[in-house]
Amino acid sequence: MTLECFPMRPDPPRMVPGRPERDWMDEFAGRHPYRCLPLTMANTTGWELLCPFGFEAEWDGRMGADAIQFRPDKDALYFEHFAQSHFTEGVLTFHTGWMFRTPEGWGMRASGPPNRAKHGICALEGITETDWLPYPFTMNWRFTAPGVIRFEKDEPFCFLQPVPHHRIERFQPVRRSLDDDGDLAVQYRKWSEVRTDFNTRMAAGDPEAVKQAWQRFYFRGEFPDQVGVRTVDHVNKRRLAPLPEAPEPSPPARAHVGFTTWSAVGAAKAITDGGKT
C-alpha cells in the first residue's frame, strides 16, 4: 500500500506519524489515560501535519472574511500561503502544502488531532476521494466564540487517515440478542463478574487490587476466562511509516586542474574548444 505525497511548495509542513502523548494525559493523576488503549490507538492511527511556525488568530464575531485577524510569529515565511480567512463565518483555513494520492477505493479523512481539544476553536472533519482528485484539499477549523487562539510551532493542525470509503456502505446493521451467541454471552458474564469483583476490592483497599491498579484484559488482548491466551490480531501499539525527508539537492559537478577550479560547463567548453579555454 502506497500513500503518495506530492509537495505543493518548496517547504511544506512536516508530516509525522501520530504521537500518543497529550499534555492533559501527562497531567492526569498517575497518567491514567495512557491505560486506555483505545485512546492511545486513536492518537496514533494516522499522520500529523505540523505548523511550520507559531501564530495567533483573533475572531471578532462577524461573519465576513475580514473578521479574522492573524498575528504570525517573526519567523513565519509566506504566512498567507499557510493560513487565512477564506470561507468566512469564523472559519480558519489551513493549506496543507501537500496533494495526496491513495490507492483505488481509499479516501483521506482529514481532522483535528484525536483527543486534543483546543479552547475557542473546533476542527472540521472531511473525507476526500484522493484516489482520483488532481488537486489538494484544505484543513479547516471554526471558532466556537469570538476571541484569540494560538497555534504553536510544530503543533499538529491536521490529522490524516486513509479510509476505505466505499466499504462502509456494505455494512448492514442487525439486531441480535446476546443469548443467541452462547460463547459471547459466557465471556461477557465472566468479564462482568471479574470486573465487579476487582472494583469491589479496589474500593475496599485490598492490597493486591491496589497493587494491580487496573485490569489489563483488553490491553493484552486476553479473554477474562482465558487469561494468558491472546487474540491473534490484537494490536496495542501502532507503528506507522514516516515520510522520508526530501533528498538534499546535489551540488553542481566541478572539475579541478592544477590550482584552477572550473565549473562543469566551463570544462565541457574547454574540451569542445580543444583545451584552449
Side-chain angles (χ1 to χ4, degrees):
M1 299 286 285
T2 300
L3 173 58
E4 297 179 285
C5 309
F6 300 89
M8 295 286 97
R9 48 188 288 179
D11 56 342
R14 283 203 304 138
M15 175 177 167
V16 299
R19 296 162 291 183
E21 298 84 9
R22 299 289 184 268
D23 289 345
W24 70 268
M25 295 172 70
D26 292 336
E27 296 165 1
F28 213 95
R31 292 164 52 93
H32 286 181
Y34 289 106
R35 299 175 182 176
C36 181
L37 184 58
L39 275 179
T40 58
M41 290 297 288
N43 293 350
T44 56
T45 303
W47 288 265
E48 300 173 349
L49 292 180
L50 309 183
C51 290
F53 35 69
F55 70 94
E56 288 184 350
E58 182 173 5
W59 182 46
D60 63 17
R62 294 180 298 113
M63 296 294 105
D66 62 344
I68 300 178
Q69 300 299 317
F70 295 95
R71 292 186 287 273
D73 290 355
K74 293 181 179 180
D75 63 343
L77 296 177
Y78 307 111
F79 179 80
E80 66 279 5
H81 296 297
F82 175 62
Q84 59 181 196
S85 177
H86 175 72
F87 292 109
T88 71
E89 303 285 332
V91 174
L92 189 163
T93 295
F94 288 95
H95 295 281
T96 67
W98 297 91
M99 182 169 65
F100 299 100
R101 180 55 57 91
T102 45
E104 183 178 357
W106 287 76
M108 183 69 79
R109 179 184 180 183
S111 67
N115 302 310
R116 186 167 181 160
K118 197 167 183 67
H119 183 70
I121 196 166
C122 176
L124 305 180
E125 300 189 14
I127 295 178
T128 306
E129 295 179 359
T130 45
D131 53 353
W132 67 265
L133 193 71
Y135 48 85
F137 55 78
T138 59
M139 175 64 203
N140 298 283
W141 294 63
R142 190 173 190 273
F143 279 85
T144 57
V148 178
I149 59 93
R150 178 172 175 81
F151 280 85
E152 300 290 350
K153 181 177 181 179
D154 290 333
E155 178 179 344
F157 69 91
C158 182
F159 194 76
L160 301 169
Q161 290 179 303
V163 292
H165 61 92
H166 289 305
R167 294 184 184 181
I168 192 170
E169 299 170 3
R170 302 176 190 174
F171 281 92
Q172 175 60 55
V174 296
R175 187 183 297 273
R176 293 278 190 262
S177 170
L178 188 60
D179 292 329
D180 292 341
D181 190 324
D183 289 341
L184 182 59
V186 168
Q187 291 168 3
Y188 169 73
R189 293 190 185 102
K190 179 62 176 178
W191 171 84
S192 182
E193 292 171 4
V194 172
R195 181 75 167 177
T196 300
D197 174 70
F198 179 79
N199 287 340
T200 300
R201 290 188 292 116
M202 277 287 289
D206 179 76
E208 283 300 318
V210 173
K211 180 180 179 180
Q212 185 178 348
W214 58 296
Q215 294 176 298
R216 298 167 172 80
F217 297 125
Y218 182 69
F219 196 90
R220 293 172 175 168
E222 298 175 340
F223 296 101
D225 61 338
Q226 302 175 38
V227 176
V229 179
R230 303 187 179 187
T231 59
V232 175
D233 294 328
H234 177 64
V235 178
N236 61 18
K237 188 173 184 180
R238 190 71 71 196
R239 298 172 176 84
L240 299 186
L243 176 68
E245 295 290 339
E248 293 292 334
S250 300
R254 306 185 72 85
H256 300 274
V257 178
F259 294 100
T260 304
T261 301
W262 293 347
S263 70
V265 175
K269 186 176 186 302
I271 294 174
T272 303
D273 293 343
K276 299 177 180 178
T277 301

